[in-house]
Amino acid sequence: MSSYIVTSSSSVTSLSVNKMATYCLTVARLQLALGQGARRFHVAAALNAKAKVAMSRFEPNSYINYDRLRSNIDIVRKRLNRPLTLSEKIVYGHLDDPSGQEIVRGRTYLRLRPDRVAMQDATAQMAMLQFISSGLPKVAVPSTIHCDHLIEAQSGGAQDLQRAKEVNHEVYNFLASSGAKYGVGFWKPGSGIIHQIILENYAYPGVMLIGTDSHTPNGGGLGCICIGVGGADAVDVMAGIPWELKCPNVIGVKLTGTLSGWTSPKDVILKVAGILTVKGGTGAIVEYHGPGVDSISCTGMATICNMGAEIGATTSVFPYNHRMRTYLEKTGRGEIAALANENQDLLVPDSGCHYDQIIEINLSELKPHINGPFTPDLAHPVSDIGSVAEKNGWPLDVKVGLIGSCTNSSYEDMGRAASLAKQALDKGLKCKAQFTVTPGSEQIRATIERDGYAKVLRDVGGIVLANACGPCIGQWDRRDVKKGEKNTIVTSFNRNFTARNDANPATHAFVTSPEIVTALAIAGTLKFNPETDFLTAPNGEKFKLVPPTGDELPARDFDPGQDTYQHPPTDGSSLKVDVNPQSNRLQLLEPFDKWSGKDLEDLQVLIKVKGKCTTDHISAAGPWLKFRGHLDNISNNLLIGAVNIENDAVNKIRNHLTGEFGGVPDVARHYKKHNVSWVVVGDENYGEGSSREHAALEPRHLGGRAIIVKSFARIHETNLKKQGLLPLTFSNPADYDKIRPDDKISIVGLKSFAPGKPLQAVIKHSDGSSETIELNHTFNETQIEWFQAGSALNRMKELQK
């Protein structure tokens, strides 16, 4: 029988941080020695403020259970009778019913039991509002909220953080109080970016975690299966309901050789993005393996997994190795590393396992890359970007270089960037471009301040921003260029869609490594190739930058910095969560209407979208983030970035009731007021990018019934289903051309709606003619019940009765 030890004695609160850690680890060792749950580690202690920072990961209901993982894997391996990939081991190891679950890659839906949930503050608002609506008293799995999205970069870390606390007080109070009431941990503003906090505290080899952010796969750098989802999926898991995921295919990336010189882990994923494109990983887990893996740091592996979201991958993962063990030890989790060592056979792929696709990359031959502009899969070697930019008329002058973000803000990243900054300073140079630095967490900020990296980066011209997402997600009050002014920025971020960083559609954003960003910021031009080109010092001396260097982890322990974690009380049932009905930031949810039981007749085409349509186009971030907890207000940004095929304009569509042109949300509201349901028609990979479920909630709220496109991005397709919409794809992609902007569409066959059975669309043209096309869908039986109930949340409530 497995068991665990819980400690909550007030006597331990007087211990120092180091003694507290020693105490907790001694308890864990005692567990192991006594044979009490030999693969389960659970310690909860009443901690003083300083100890809470160091030991916040030891929380009630949080444990490592390799017993269950091993048992489930053994059952599945016997059933399938073949070697398993690493991702299969972890995913199938979390099956709700390993004995009965049908398992076919790319076809069947798996019912899974993730270990924990993480939510960033912009998506947590709607997730918690939905959880409140569920009527459940407390979350069923360990869950946390992370305040990182609502802090706007303006003048510097301390000032920006203070302003954010004042501006967002109502939202932060809601998240903190709802977390306390429903048993969710709360990481306060200034604590850092969700994915860095997870890596430092909650990730461990073999865990399955879902997060309400598309870059949750960052945790794959520590051997985890971490998957980005919408808030409704998070609610399912927090409610204790098995979570559904289509059984992923597995793409293997075999790494050989060794990273060296100017080449960094970021270049691996920049190269892979160029190979697979923004949709090449859809429906698949990308699994890295091979001898080259050992030359990449744990945080470097996290960088690669993080940006795997840009190729549409379900997630990415690396096998457990000594780099992960060292990182766990340095972040106070040596006992977890010891358990992982004991169970290493579960945490690496089986010999002879099968991948659906194989990509091979020789790290010794890989060159530094830079991707963009306007899409993260347009890959160029850094040595070529100057000439390519000249040929295409892209601005050569680098206006701003930005390092940090959830993708590249590790101690190693900052150290390597600082090594280049130090070389420039030694020669009397500073950055020609503006230069910003975003630490990934309070722990990283405090440690790079202590070790001098932050000072070097400031001295070369950098501004250290708050521990938050900032410019990466459009939270940037940029003032050096006017909107519409053509310019170039280079970032170590993960995503560079049009207008994403600064709301300027003329900004040419390129993503690359922190090292290349720093070098280009110093040189001030895309034409600079740091591997071959010289800089000129103020005294006229020509010199080359020596390839960057930096410690993988600090020689001393990490400095945890300030205490930024609020642990939920044991019993929060007496606490109240108030939402002011007059608030313009928060709004309690009303249930969506149920399906009428009839076919959807005469849906007006709201907009026929031309070309790329990401979640940024559907529900913009930046200044709109303030309304993420108020569905009606944020619906005023519905599809305002999408290009209307009728006139090649954004946010300008024809209202077919009045004949006049108006903004997309305005026309949608007018249709809703007059009981006219509508449909959106789109192109390939519709909804790529962020996990934001607002891109599904908004069309449902404003009267949308279906989204018909050539293909969907995974998360967005699921989000649409969760909210009772019909995400449908053309059986023949060429049928996209048959639909006109003023058409009405009837979707028929819903009375016999069934998995694998296509639906029909009758397209009615304004000239009186009509034609019928076939539409495919990926609904399973449970998801059809969501549609019929009006939403997944409605269905959850039905099942509680």
Side-chain angles (χ1 to χ4, degrees):
M1 180 178 71
S2 293
S3 60
Y4 51 83
I5 295 173
V6 178
T7 302
S8 58
S9 169
S10 59
S11 64
V12 302
T13 60
S14 61
L15 297 177
S16 68
V17 172
N18 288 338
K19 287 183 178 179
M20 178 67 73
T22 300
Y23 173 82
C24 292
L25 299 183
T26 300
V27 171
R29 290 191 185 99
L30 179 61
Q31 269 182 263
L32 298 174
L34 295 174
Q36 296 180 340
R39 293 179 179 84
R40 181 175 287 200
F41 179 44
H42 177 118
V43 181
L47 305 175
N48 60 25
K50 289 185 71 177
K52 191 185 295 181
V53 180
M55 305 304 297
S56 60
R57 63 189 66 85
F58 301 123
E59 59 182 42
N61 301 320
S62 178
Y63 56 79
I64 297 171
N65 192 342
Y66 287 125
D67 281 341
R68 183 186 68 180
L69 193 68
R70 184 176 296 279
S71 173
N72 285 3
I73 290 171
D74 286 346
I75 292 169
V76 172
R77 184 183 278 113
K78 288 176 183 176
R79 288 181 55 203
L80 299 182
N81 193 30
R82 62 171 174 79
L84 301 176
T85 68
L86 169 60
S87 52
E88 287 183 308
K89 288 182 180 181
I90 303 176
V91 172
Y92 303 162
H94 285 82
L95 286 170
D96 182 54
D97 179 15
S99 298
Q101 171 73 61
E102 185 181 5
I103 301 172
V104 183
R105 284 190 198 172
R107 281 184 47 203
T108 58
Y109 279 87
L110 307 178
R111 291 168 60 82
L112 301 164
R113 292 284 186 178
D115 297 299
R116 68 179 305 125
V117 173
M119 299 167 280
Q120 42 96 335
D121 50 356
T123 50
Q125 295 171 62
M126 199 58 68
M128 291 307 295
L129 286 166
Q130 290 178 87
F131 188 82
I132 291 170
S133 296
S134 75
L136 296 170
K138 193 171 185 178
V139 296
V141 302
S143 305
T144 47
I145 294 168
H146 303 259
C147 294
D148 60 2
H149 270 57
L150 300 180
I151 302 169
E152 184 183 51
Q154 215 175 67
S155 52
Q159 305 95 309
D160 295 344
L161 177 58
Q162 183 56 41
R163 186 176 63 257
K165 289 179 179 179
E166 295 168 1
V167 171
N168 302 306
H169 173 75
E170 180 186 12
V171 170
Y172 291 149
N173 182 62
F174 166 73
L175 293 174
S177 60
S178 60
K181 181 173 180 63
Y182 296 104
V184 179
F186 179 69
W187 288 84
K188 302 171 187 177
S191 59
I193 305 172
I194 177 172
H195 312 304
Q196 185 68 30
I197 297 295
I198 290 170
L199 200 71
E200 293 172 354
N201 293 275
Y202 301 123
Y204 62 82
V207 76
M208 173 175 275
L209 177 150
I210 66 165
T212 60
D213 189 280
S214 58
H215 293 107
T216 301
N218 188 80
L222 203 41
C224 319
I225 291 295
C226 298
I227 301 175
V229 299
D233 276 340
V235 171
D236 279 356
V237 177
M238 292 191 293
I241 298 171
W243 173 61
E244 288 195 339
L245 175 73
K246 181 175 274 192
C247 187
N249 291 314
V250 187
I251 298 173
V253 179
K254 182 178 181 180
L255 302 178
T256 60
T258 304
L259 286 177
S260 63
W262 284 91
T263 306
S264 75
K266 185 67 164 283
D267 297 306
V268 176
I269 185 58
L270 294 173
K271 178 70 173 179
V272 170
I275 295 169
L276 288 176
T277 77
V278 291
K279 64 176 185 176
T282 303
I285 293 176
V286 179
E287 186 172 312
Y288 294 86
H289 63 282
V293 166
D294 287 340
S295 76
I296 304 173
S297 67
C298 176
T299 52
M301 290 186 259
T303 291
I304 294 167
C305 292
N306 177 295
M307 197 175 158
E310 291 2 291
I311 57 174
T314 301
T315 192
S316 303
V317 68
F318 277 82
Y320 179 67
N321 67 359
H322 72 280
R323 299 277 196 159
M324 297 182 192
R325 182 183 70 240
T326 302
Y327 183 79
L328 287 168
E329 291 168 348
K330 268 292 185 180
T331 51
R333 294 172 286 174
E335 291 296 324
I336 296 177
L339 288 174
N341 287 343
E342 289 179 20
N343 293 277
Q344 187 157 3
D345 61 307
L346 304 179
L347 308 173
V348 296
D350 288 341
S351 177
C353 64
H354 171 71
Y355 296 104
D356 297 287
Q357 180 181 350
I358 288 280
I359 296 170
E360 294 195 26
I361 297 176
N362 185 336
L363 300 180
S364 300
E365 298 175 354
L366 182 63
K367 292 294 184 181
H369 273 62
I370 183 169
N371 289 20
F374 306 123
T375 184
D377 58 351
L378 186 58
H380 322 273
V382 171
S383 57
D384 295 344
I385 189 61
S387 59
V388 173
E390 280 187 311
K391 179 180 178 181
N392 287 280
W394 301 334
L396 292 173
D397 289 345
V398 175
K399 290 288 188 181
V400 191
L402 305 97
I403 66 169
S405 85
C406 65
T407 318
N408 277 116
S409 57
S410 68
Y411 185 82
E412 180 182 36
D413 289 328
M414 296 300 173
R416 285 170 66 86
S419 75
L420 297 172
K422 181 69 164 56
Q423 292 180 54
L425 289 169
D426 288 346
K427 296 293 185 179
L429 282 182
K430 290 191 174 184
C431 291
K432 289 186 178 179
Q434 293 183 42
F435 187 48
T436 70
V437 180
T438 304
S441 68
E442 170 61 7
Q443 179 166 279
I444 292 296
R445 183 208 62 77
T447 306
I448 66 172
E449 288 284 4
R450 180 196 69 191
D451 294 351
Y453 291 166
K455 183 180 187 304
V456 171
L457 293 170
R458 286 193 191 95
D459 288 347
V460 83
I463 297 174
V464 178
L465 301 174
N467 313 322
C469 300
C472 182
I473 60 163
Q475 283 284 49
W476 183 17
D477 183 19
R478 188 180 181 193
R479 300 180 180 181
D480 63 300
V481 297
K482 295 179 181 178
K483 190 169 182 178
E485 181 180 341
K486 203 172 175 181
N487 74 101
T488 284
I489 64 173
V490 291
T491 82
S492 69
F493 305 161
N494 42 41
R495 198 167 279 163
N496 59 344
F497 301 142
T498 302
R500 175 176 173 83
N501 303 123
D502 61 0
N504 181 3
T507 293
H508 292 55
F510 296 84
V511 291
T512 185
S513 68
E515 300 92 311
I516 296 298
V517 171
T518 305
L520 295 179
I522 293 168
T525 176
L526 287 179
K527 294 189 74 173
F528 180 68
N529 177 7
E531 290 189 294
T532 59
D533 295 347
F534 288 80
L535 295 168
T536 303
N539 64 4
E541 177 188 354
K542 302 280 188 182
F543 71 98
K544 279 177 62 177
L545 292 171
V546 174
T549 58
D551 291 337
E552 178 178 345
L553 295 163
R556 292 184 281 171
D557 288 342
F558 280 106
D559 183 341
Q562 299 179 30
D563 177 10
T564 56
Y565 178 68
Q566 171 187 296
H567 196 71
T570 303
D571 181 5
S573 59
S574 63
L575 301 177
K576 292 187 176 181
V577 181
D578 293 323
V579 175
N580 184 348
Q582 306 305 315
S583 173
N584 70 350
R585 299 288 302 270
L586 297 166
Q587 180 187 48
L588 293 175
L589 297 174
E590 295 292 332
F592 292 130
D593 60 312
K594 295 179 63 172
W595 174 54
S596 67
K598 302 176 182 178
D599 289 334
L600 300 177
E601 297 283 353
D602 293 331
L603 302 177
Q604 179 66 57
V605 173
L606 177 71
I607 180 173
K608 182 178 179 182
V609 178
K610 178 182 178 181
K612 184 185 282 282
C613 191
T614 72
T615 48
D616 280 329
H617 295 88
I618 303 167
S619 176
W624 291 96
L625 285 168
K626 68 173 70 75
F627 298 123
R628 284 284 181 86
H630 196 294
L631 179 55
D632 194 56
N633 282 346
I634 199 166
S635 293
N636 288 323
N637 75 0
L638 174 66
L639 286 160
I640 61 175
V643 177
N644 180 10
I645 199 168
E646 183 176 6
N647 54 14
D648 282 337
V650 296
N651 202 28
K652 186 178 181 181
I653 61 171
R654 189 185 302 275
N655 183 327
H656 294 287
L657 294 182
T658 67
E660 299 175 352
F661 280 90
V664 179
D666 298 326
V667 175
R669 285 187 186 279
H670 189 261
Y671 288 165
K672 180 181 180 181
K673 182 179 179 180
H674 291 83
N675 297 314
V676 175
S677 297
W678 47 263
V679 61
V680 170
V681 177
D683 211 316
E684 294 279 6
N685 209 30
Y686 184 90
E688 71 172 277
S690 167
S691 69
R692 68 191 67 153
E693 65 179 338
H694 299 79
L697 283 160
E698 292 175 33
R700 183 73 163 97
H701 175 64
L702 293 185
R705 292 295 177 178
I707 312 292
I708 304 172
V709 300
K710 293 180 181 177
S711 64
F712 284 103
R714 175 190 64 86
I715 300 176
H716 186 60
E717 182 181 21
T718 301
N719 286 345
L720 291 168
K721 293 177 183 177
K722 287 278 186 178
Q723 303 307 333
L725 283 150
L726 288 173
L728 305 170
T729 56
F730 296 105
S731 179
N732 178 3
D735 287 343
Y736 168 88
D737 298 320
K738 294 180 179 179
I739 297 177
R740 305 169 191 170
D742 61 348
D743 283 344
K744 292 184 177 181
I745 299 175
S746 295
I747 298 173
V748 299
L750 290 173
K751 291 182 180 179
S752 58
F753 194 12
K757 182 180 178 182
L759 297 170
Q760 303 291 316
V762 180
I763 307 169
K764 301 175 183 178
H765 302 304
S766 58
D767 62 7
S769 63
S770 66
E771 48 193 316
T772 300
I773 62 173
E774 187 175 80
L775 300 175
N776 294 330
H777 66 84
T778 60
F779 280 81
N780 61 23
E781 291 180 359
T782 299
Q783 293 166 346
I784 290 172
E785 290 173 355
W786 300 344
F787 167 73
Q788 292 169 340
S791 71
L793 188 58
N794 287 359
R795 180 58 179 157
M796 183 192 298
K797 290 180 180 179
E798 288 178 354
L799 294 173
Q800 291 175 25
K801 295 177 181 178

